[in-house]
């Protein structure tokens, strides 16, 4: 909303300097424009809905699997809470950094591929993969060997028994 207001203000101040030069006189119909918008928006909407759906399925499956392994409903729910609240948060920290690196490199690679500079694009892809590995491998080793210390540092209110469960989750 704030971005929309900002863009509106900038446009209102500078609308005289904005000029649209028409290449031809073709004006698409409202139906054509609506179909084009739907063609672009539907895949993005579907893609963005996958994560919430997966999280719901994940919660139901994990709690049921924990119960079928012999845990009570309360224990299974508590373990799922540790997984989703503590372990996932810790695991997602390096994932966010790695995703940011990968996302930042996409426009550069697309520009190089559009110019048909495949050698430089390949170098950039390899560089991005190296960056992700530089983040991922130490994070993996840190979770494997120092999971308890990381969990205690970031979540000091987690009890020692629960911290042991979090360590096992991080190791796996």
């Amino acid at each position: 909303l704030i971005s929309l207001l900002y863009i509106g203000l900038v446009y209102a101040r500078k609308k005289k300097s904005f000029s649209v030069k028409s290449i031809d006189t073709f004006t698409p119909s409202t139906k054509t424009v609506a179909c084009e918008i739907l063609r672009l928006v539907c895949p993005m909407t579907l893609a963005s809905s996958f994560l919430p759906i997966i999280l719901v399925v994940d919660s139901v499956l994990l709690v049921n699997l924990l119960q079928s392994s012999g845990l009570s409903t309360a224990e299974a729910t508590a373990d799922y809470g540790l997984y989703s609240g503590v372990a996932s948060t810790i695991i997602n920290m390096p994932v966010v950094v790695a995703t940011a690196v990968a996302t930042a490199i996409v426009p550069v690679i697309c520009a190089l591929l559009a110019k048909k500079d495949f050698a430089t694009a390949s170098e950039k892809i390899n560089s991005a993969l190296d960056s992700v590995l530089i983040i991922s491998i130490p994070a993996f080793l840190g979770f494997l060997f120092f999971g308890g210390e990381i969990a205690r540092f970031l979540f000091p209110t987690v009890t020692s028994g629960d911290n042991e469960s979090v360590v096992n989750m991080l190791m796996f």
Side-chain angles (χ1 to χ4, degrees):
L1 183 59
I2 292 170
S3 298
L4 180 63
L5 291 173
Y6 174 76
I7 290 171
L9 289 172
V10 169
Y11 176 75
R13 273 191 277 155
K14 298 182 178 186
K15 75 175 155 182
K16 291 180 184 173
S17 65
F18 289 116
S19 65
V20 178
K21 296 179 182 171
S22 178
I23 297 173
D24 56 15
T25 57
F26 172 72
T27 304
S29 69
T30 304
K31 182 180 177 183
T32 305
V33 172
C35 286
E36 186 66 17
I37 289 172
L38 286 174
R39 187 181 71 79
L40 294 171
V41 169
C42 285
M44 288 188 274
T45 303
L46 285 172
S48 64
S49 66
F50 283 138
L51 181 62
I53 292 169
I54 288 170
L55 290 175
V56 168
V57 170
D58 201 24
S59 67
V60 171
L61 284 177
L62 285 175
V63 170
N64 286 335
L65 286 171
L66 288 170
Q67 286 176 331
S68 67
S69 71
L71 295 178
S72 69
T73 303
E75 292 170 325
T77 306
D79 279 352
Y80 178 74
L82 286 172
Y83 165 73
S84 64
V86 179
S88 289
T89 302
I90 294 171
I91 289 168
N92 285 331
M93 287 179 186
V95 172
V96 167
V97 176
T99 303
V101 169
T103 303
I105 198 74
V106 168
V108 174
I109 293 169
C110 288
L112 290 168
L113 292 176
K115 294 177 186 174
K116 303 211 184 304
D117 187 357
F118 299 113
T120 309
S122 179
E123 289 175 20
K124 295 291 182 185
I125 291 169
N126 288 334
S127 174
L129 288 173
D130 289 344
S131 299
V132 169
L133 287 174
I134 287 171
I135 295 164
S136 302
I137 292 172
F140 162 73
L141 293 173
F143 295 158
L144 187 63
F145 296 113
F146 305 109
E149 289 77 11
I150 293 169
R152 273 193 293 280
F153 177 74
L154 294 175
F155 297 94
T157 58
V158 174
T159 65
S160 61
D162 288 342
N163 194 51
E164 185 179 328
S165 294
V166 169
V167 169
N168 289 331
M169 291 176 198
L170 289 174
M171 286 174 59
F172 287 107

